[in-house]
Amino acid sequence: MPALSHGRQPDHEPDPALAWFGEVPGHGLLDVESASMARVLAASPSLPWAWFGVAAASPPLGRGVALRRSADGFDGAVRCRLPLPLASEAFGAVLLQHVFDDGVDCAPLLSECARILAPGGRLWLATLNPWSPYRLRWAGSGLHARDAGHWQTMLRASGFAADPVSLQWLGPRWRVAHGEAGVGAADVLRAGVALTLTKRVHAAIPPGRLQQLRWQTGLGQAGLANAGLPQAAQSGRVDSGRGDARRGASVPSATDRNDAAAVARIARIAPDRSDATRGGAQRR
């Protein structure tokens, strides 16, 4: 990770359109945004911040990495291009100050911001307001102003899909020296707009529903039938001798019935020895 410092002025000027922020009308907007960045950092986790801005803007005070737009990419604490040589989820706040207002493709840098921003960290994006009368002051400079709906779509496509976005309008409406900030109906005509969101931790796919286990207290009716138990045992009823006597019937036990059946089978198979003995005596 590079050393944390405010950096130096870029050696190569970026798109000439961004030089408008170095003029008096541009300073009237940048001065208001400095106070807005300080409020964002005060509510962010106690981690270093990463600031990306134009040459005329000043990074916030404190511990962080400051990178300015240049013709070759970014210059400041480290001179680099995309992808950024910064650790993933290492910053508590990422501040983007008008780095996209010259019409550059914003998707690559926004994706990198989603990578380096820590969970719970805050992203702050300042851009020009296309609905403000102040746009007449940058007309013809080559700047491109896009509405808040466009930026919300780009943020969702860059990895901030489920993170709510709050809006705040910044800067003067027309007079350069009257820059303020607000979220009221009259503030939508201010020169700039800032989008702020907090990176949330997205939960993984929840596990399946756990199966509830319980102790088996006994076999069911089907299990009892398969086990060959009599219907009386299946129904849980036990007939006692006292009940049988009360009904006036004598019910033999299972052991007696089995013994009687065995005796009957033996009687059918074995011949009567007494008859055989009597027949032999008669023949003699």
Side-chain angles (χ1 to χ4, degrees):
M1 183 174 175
L4 304 179
S5 66
H6 290 308
R8 59 187 183 277
Q9 293 292 334
D11 297 334
H12 304 281
E13 290 296 330
D15 193 314
L18 298 180
W20 177 85
F21 292 97
E23 301 177 1
V24 174
H27 277 292
L29 177 58
L30 296 178
D31 292 342
V32 180
E33 292 174 349
S34 298
S36 178
M37 286 190 295
R39 290 191 293 269
V40 171
L41 293 178
S44 300
S46 57
L47 292 172
W49 45 257
W51 175 85
F52 303 86
V54 295
S58 298
L61 300 176
R63 186 167 59 103
V65 174
L67 297 174
R68 291 181 172 88
R69 276 284 308 275
S70 66
D72 298 329
F74 297 94
D75 199 353
V78 60
R79 182 178 296 176
C80 62
R81 296 181 180 180
L82 297 177
L84 298 171
L86 302 175
S88 300
E89 299 184 352
F91 297 93
V94 175
L95 311 170
L96 303 169
Q97 194 171 13
H98 300 289
V99 290
F100 302 126
D101 287 346
D102 59 345
V104 69
D105 184 14
C106 59
L109 180 55
L110 287 179
S111 298
E112 283 292 281
C113 292
R115 179 184 64 84
I116 66 175
L117 186 62
R122 307 190 75 184
L123 176 75
W124 182 84
L125 169 63
T127 184
L128 295 173
N129 182 10
W131 312 114
S132 173
Y134 208 77
R135 67 183 182 274
L136 297 178
R137 297 190 179 275
W138 70 71
S141 63
L143 295 175
H144 299 270
R146 289 165 279 194
D147 59 18
H150 168 82
W151 292 114
Q152 290 177 331
T153 301
M154 295 304 301
L155 289 171
R156 288 194 296 268
S158 301
F160 300 97
D163 304 320
V165 179
S166 61
L167 301 177
Q168 184 183 38
W169 288 269
L170 307 167
R173 297 183 182 91
W174 176 250
R175 298 180 61 181
V176 176
H178 290 77
E180 295 177 356
V183 294
D187 294 311
V188 297
L189 299 179
R190 296 191 180 277
V193 58
L195 296 87
T196 307
L197 60 85
T198 301
K199 181 179 179 180
R200 295 183 175 180
V201 180
H202 305 290
I205 299 175
R209 185 177 180 181
L210 296 178
Q211 183 179 2
Q212 295 182 356
L213 303 178
R214 57 185 180 182
W215 292 102
Q216 298 291 339
T217 58
L219 296 176
Q221 294 294 334
L224 292 173
N226 295 333
L229 297 179
Q231 186 65 28
Q234 298 180 25
S235 60
R237 297 192 305 270
V238 179
D239 294 333
S240 62
R242 182 179 300 176
D244 296 336
R246 189 180 299 114
R247 290 193 298 269
S250 178
V251 178
S253 64
T255 303
D256 298 336
R257 289 196 298 269
N258 293 336
D259 294 341
V263 172
R265 288 195 298 271
I266 295 173
R268 289 195 298 270
I269 296 173
D272 190 353
R273 294 181 180 180
S274 60
D275 295 340
T277 302
R278 289 195 299 273
Q282 292 177 0
R283 284 195 299 274
R284 286 197 301 267

